[in-house]
Structure formats: structure tokens, C-alpha cells
């Protein structure tokens, strides 16, 4: 399967696939014309990578899950190392949220002070 076919099958882009390959998460062979050719099993692997990324992990975190990326990651029992990585990523995200919330609150207070009117809350999509 060529890179465009893999991208369509997994709902991602060729650029993302090249990035996953550069990160060592997937691999390809080269056809005689130089095109990347992927095994059918790579579809499952890429879907699992995307599942983990959508859960909030980053590519470096996903490396811990390499041994199980060819199975059903969403249904598998997480390893101790996998749980540790997820908990560490959650702590990072919580810290970022706290920092951003504090910055928003300071900005909102400054605007309220300067305009004597509370800014409208953001629209919820």
C-alpha cells in the first residue's frame, strides 16, 4: 500500500505518516520507483498511534506503546509503564491548563478594570 492509500485508510495525511516513520513508529519499504510501500498491518498501527495522540499523548509518549501498537490498544490492559507515561502527560496538561487559566483570569481582571465592564464569555461551539 502506498502512502496516499495509507493516509486515506487511516484518516491522516502523508505528511503525518512520514513524521511517524521518522519517529520510528512505523516503517516502509521502498518500491523500485522510490515510493514508500507499507504493509497492511500498518493501518492498525497508525490508527492506534492516532488514538493515543487524540487521548493527549505526544509522539515521544507513544514510543512506550510500541510493543502493543499492532493490536487493539483501546481494549488492552495498560502496562505499568504505559500508565506512568499517561499520568505524567496528564500532570503536564493540568499544569498547562492551570497556567493558561491564571493568565486568562489576569487578562479578564485587567480588562474589567480598564473598561468597567466584564467582557463577554467566549461562544461555545
Amino acid at each position: 500500500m502506498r502512502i496516499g492509500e495509507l493516509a486515506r485508510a487511516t484518516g491522516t495525511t502523508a505528511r503525518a505518516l512520514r513524521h511517524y516513520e521518522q519517529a520510528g513508529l512505523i516503517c516502509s519499504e521502498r518500491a523500485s520507483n522510490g515510493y514508500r510501500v507499507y504493509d497492511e498491518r500498518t493501518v492498525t498501527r497508525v490508527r492506534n498511534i492516532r488514538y493515543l495522540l487524540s487521548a493527549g499523548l505526544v509522539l515521544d509518549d507513544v514510543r512506550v506503546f510500541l510493543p502493543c501498537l499492532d493490536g487493539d490498544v483501546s481494549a488492552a490492559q495498560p502496562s505499568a509503564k504505559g500508565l506512568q507515561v499517561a499520568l505524567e502527560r496528564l500532570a503536564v496538561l493540568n499544569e498547562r491548563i492551570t497556567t493558561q487559566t491564571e493568565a486568562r483570569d489576569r487578562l479578564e481582571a485587567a480588562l474589567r478594570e480598564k473598561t468597567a465592564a466584564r467582557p463577554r464569555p467566549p461562544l461555545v461551539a
Side-chain angles (χ1 to χ4, degrees):
M1 153 181 331
R2 292 198 342 215
I3 195 165
E5 296 167 315
L6 181 59
R8 282 187 295 281
T10 58
T12 192
T13 63
R15 183 177 182 202
L17 294 172
R18 286 188 292 273
H19 188 65
Y20 300 163
E21 190 168 351
Q22 185 178 17
L25 297 174
I26 62 174
C27 59
S28 66
E29 300 293 324
R30 292 289 182 158
S32 59
N33 59 7
Y35 291 171
R36 287 177 167 91
V37 179
Y38 297 91
D39 186 280
E40 286 291 327
R41 294 175 296 180
T42 309
V43 171
T44 299
R45 182 171 278 248
V46 170
R47 286 181 178 156
N48 282 325
I49 292 167
R50 291 178 52 77
Y51 170 79
L52 293 169
L53 293 174
S54 72
L57 300 180
V58 297
L59 282 183
D60 283 340
D61 299 335
V62 172
R63 282 190 224 303
V64 171
F65 297 88
L66 274 173
C68 57
L69 286 179
D70 295 325
D72 186 355
V73 169
S74 65
Q77 189 70 280
S79 68
K81 181 67 175 168
L83 283 174
Q84 178 185 346
V85 166
L87 288 169
E88 289 169 1
R89 181 59 48 203
L90 181 60
V92 168
L93 291 170
N94 281 332
E95 180 61 33
R96 287 180 184 166
I97 289 168
T98 298
T99 300
Q100 290 296 303
T101 300
E102 290 168 353
R104 182 207 56 209
D105 292 348
R106 286 190 304 273
L107 178 58
E108 186 177 58
L111 286 170
R112 220 182 359 243
E113 180 182 309
K114 296 299 180 188
T115 63
R118 184 178 186 153
R120 291 187 205 166
L123 297 176
V124 177

